[in-house]
Each structure stands twice: as structure tokens, then as C-alpha cells.
């Protein structure tokens, strides 16, 4: 038989357990707070360029479709669609643009001189990976309306 003072102690102990957090509860809350702070302060994942290509647009030629003074579209496919992309012609930057959406960045390129050109696209958080590239040979371009004839 339970005496009245003992029953009151049991009820107050139960109520006290519900009102005060247990050690396990405090550890769980602390671990969750640490996890949230790590997620919020984590560095962004490395953004990289997957592929680079250049289209001849309306330009044409016998040896090559790429000519000096003519305009071309250079495309870069990206692993993420937030970080800006810098385009390079033989290692020299010629444009920096934000992605158009869907992991694609587009830029117009007008070659200034004849010869071989290596076009690359890089993102600043790309890590140590080698940037993808495309090589094109550029001849002398002659404008014919909106297009170019390449000699």
C-alpha cells in the first residue's frame, strides 16, 4: 500500500521529469545545433565546366568556317547554374558572364587574328581540374551581309 507522502513524491517526480530536459535531450539539441551551423557555413561545392563548343552561326568557308572579324557563339555546359563563367581565347579572358539558366552559358566571340585558337571556359570554384577546351582554326573573314565568307 502506498502512503500519501510517497504517492505525492512519485507524482512530483514525474511532473519534474517532464518539465526539465534530460541529459539525452540536451545532447540531441546540441548535436542538431552543431549540424545546422556546419551546413550553413559549408563552402560551396566546386562548380566546373563540363564542355565547351563554338558554333559557326551563318558563316562558311572552304578551309574553315571561322574567320577574323566574324561573330560566333561559344557555349559552356556547367555543373551548376549560379557561378559566373570566364571565357578564354588562347589563355586570354575575353568575356565573363553569368549562366543563362539550366547550366548553360553563352557568349559572342569575334576572333581578331588568323591561326589556331583554343577556347576555354572556367569557373572560379572549379578546383584544380583542367578546363575543357575546343580548338578552331581561324582564316580571313569577309562580311557578306549578316554572314561571313571565310577565305
Amino acid at each position: 500500500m502506498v502512503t500519501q507522502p510517497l504517492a505525492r513524491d512519485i507524482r512530483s517526480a514525474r511532473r519534474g521529469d517532464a518539465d526539465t530536459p534530460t541529459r539525452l535531450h540536451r545532447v540531441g539539441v546540441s548535436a542538431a545545433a552543431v549540424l545546422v551551423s556546419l551546413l550553413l557555413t559549408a563552402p560551396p561545392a566546386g562548380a566546373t565546366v563540363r564542355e565547351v563548343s563554338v558554333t559557326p552561326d551563318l558563316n562558311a568557308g572552304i578551309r574553315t568556317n571561322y574567320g577574323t572579324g566574324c561573330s560566333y557563339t561559344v557555349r559552356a555546359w556547367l555543373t551548376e547554374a549560379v557561378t559566373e563563367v570566364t571565357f578564354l581565347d588562347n589563355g586570354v579572358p575575353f568575356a565573363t558572364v553569368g549562366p543563362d539558366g539550366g547550366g548553360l552559358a553563352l557568349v559572342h566571340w569575334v576572333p581578331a587574328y588568323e591561326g589556331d585558337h583554343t577556347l576555354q571556359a572556367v569557373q572560379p570554384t572549379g578546383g584544380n581540374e583542367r578546363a575543357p577546351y575546343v580548338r578552331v582554326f581561324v582564316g580571313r573573314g569577309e562580311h557578306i551581309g549578316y554572314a561571313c565568307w571565310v577565305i
Side-chain angles (χ1 to χ4, degrees):
M1 176 137 88
V2 176
T3 61
Q4 202 139 40
L6 181 59
R8 189 174 10 160
D9 289 342
I10 292 173
R11 280 194 305 266
S12 66
R14 284 186 190 151
R15 188 173 51 242
D17 286 346
D19 292 341
T20 57
T22 64
R23 180 177 293 169
L24 183 61
H25 176 72
R26 283 183 290 214
V27 169
V29 169
S30 298
V34 168
L35 180 63
V36 167
S37 68
L38 286 174
L39 289 175
L40 292 178
T41 59
T48 58
V49 177
R50 291 187 337 229
E51 184 181 341
V52 177
S53 70
V54 59
T55 61
D57 298 338
L58 296 175
N59 309 313
I62 295 173
R63 232 172 88 183
T64 180
N65 291 328
Y66 305 98
T68 56
C70 306
S71 180
Y72 302 94
T73 304
V74 181
R75 298 182 290 195
W77 282 268
L78 317 168
T79 59
E80 57 88 8
V82 178
T83 309
E84 288 187 331
V85 182
T86 300
F87 289 88
L88 305 122
D89 179 3
N90 289 336
V92 178
F94 67 90
T96 299
V97 297
D100 291 334
L104 180 65
L106 302 170
V107 68
H108 289 285
W109 171 61
V110 179
Y113 57 91
E114 295 179 33
D116 291 320
H117 290 258
T118 301
L119 302 172
Q120 291 179 292
V122 296
Q123 290 182 293
T125 58
N128 294 330
E129 296 178 19
R130 182 157 185 225
Y133 62 91
V134 61
R135 287 190 177 135
V136 295
F137 177 77
V138 175
R140 185 169 45 110
E142 295 291 332
H143 287 275
I144 50 173
Y146 288 106
C148 274
W149 176 250
V150 183
I151 302 170

